[in-house]
Amino acid sequence: MKTQEQEQAPAAAVDPMEDLCQALFSTEEGAKKKAARQTAGAMTQRPWPQLPSRLRSAIRSDIGRLLDNGKARGQLIEAGYSAAVVNQALRDLGRSVA
């Protein structure tokens, strides 16, 4: 005979930071990606080095991909990132965009 605890399916751990990173690492454009960019852009109240390493990597990856597709700095901000996040990511990537 099973106990009530055994009958319940284990709750999946939800990691919002991982969801955010996965959306930014994704190559697909869409509402989820735009929302992830806006969320990452809103994190400017925290200094860049204090953001989780994986999140910084995801942001750099996404911004690098946008730059490779010919996007300008203004278009990165229109995509949802804040100017502070764009500037720091460009600095980390060793790139500059007009």
Side-chain angles (χ1 to χ4, degrees), residues 55-72:
L55 177 60
R56 291 192 316 261
S57 293
I59 292 169
R60 285 190 298 263
S61 172
D62 186 39
I63 287 179
R65 190 170 30 256
L66 290 170
L67 293 173
D68 291 344
N69 289 333
K71 302 291 184 190

Side-chain angles (χ1 to χ4, degrees), residues 5-95:
E5 288 180 22
Q6 290 172 329
E7 290 177 15
Q8 293 177 348
V14 176
D15 183 358
M17 188 61 66
E18 184 58 28
D19 288 345
L20 180 63
C21 292
Q22 288 299 324
L24 292 173
F25 277 126
S26 169
T27 57
E28 296 178 19
E29 292 293 325
K32 186 174 182 178
K33 179 85 141 203
K34 175 117 178 146
R37 288 174 178 150
Q38 289 172 336
T39 299
M43 294 179 145
T44 56
Q45 72 274 12
R46 291 178 70 182
W48 180 258
Q50 289 182 6
L51 292 177
S53 174
R54 181 151 169 82
L55 177 60
R56 291 192 316 261
S57 293
I59 292 169
R60 285 190 298 263
S61 172
D62 186 39
I63 287 179
R65 190 170 30 256
L66 290 170
L67 293 173
D68 291 344
N69 289 333
K71 302 291 184 190
R73 183 179 178 281
Q75 291 171 307
L76 299 176
I77 294 169
E78 287 174 14
Y81 286 114
S82 68
V85 168
V86 169
N87 291 340
Q88 187 60 55
L90 290 174
R91 218 172 293 132
D92 285 4
L93 292 167
R95 296 171 82 167

